[in-house]
Amino acid sequence: LTLLLEEVIYMLKPLFNNSHSTINLTSKEDVYISADYNKLKQVLINLLKNTIEAKKEHENLIVQITIKSYKNHISLNITDNGIKDKK
């Protein structure tokens, strides 16, 4: 999962740079999961592209991705400082 996210971040880096946005990944270890690599990659690409599309025009967006591994599960958190939905 960590290597996949690093690949996706590398692919999207020009898009983030052009929109004055920053993306950071925090993972203390390599995390291995059983999943369809290409489908998960596409989900992550869509999710991260959405953070840019949803930001205010002159906003400096910061996206933080954190991966934590536990005994039987992992936690993948993606947060940003973009527009908050006020429902």
Side-chain angles (χ1 to χ4, degrees):
L1 185 58
T2 307
L3 295 174
L4 172 59
L5 278 162
E6 288 172 349
E7 179 182 345
V8 169
I9 290 169
Y10 179 79
M11 287 174 50
L12 296 178
K13 200 68 158 176
L15 182 63
F16 274 79
N17 289 340
N18 288 340
S19 67
H20 306 289
S21 301
T22 304
I23 185 166
N24 301 307
L25 172 63
T26 302
S27 179
K28 295 181 181 179
E29 60 189 278
D30 288 335
V31 176
Y32 297 94
I33 62 172
S34 178
D36 184 307
Y37 184 87
N38 291 320
K39 288 181 182 178
L40 185 55
K41 181 178 179 180
Q42 191 60 54
V43 166
L44 294 168
I45 289 170
N46 293 347
L47 185 62
L48 294 172
K49 285 175 70 177
N50 186 53
T51 64
I52 293 174
E53 294 169 0
K55 80 178 194 77
K56 293 180 183 175
E57 187 174 335
H58 299 290
E59 179 179 50
N60 290 327
L61 182 71
I62 300 171
V63 178
Q64 178 64 46
I65 304 170
T66 306
I67 304 171
K68 293 181 182 176
S69 179
Y70 303 96
K71 288 183 181 179
N72 295 330
H73 64 280
I74 62 158
S75 170
L76 171 63
N77 293 306
I78 301 175
T79 58
D80 66 53
N81 66 331
I83 300 169
K84 305 296 181 221
D85 188 13
K86 297 180 181 181
K87 288 185 178 181

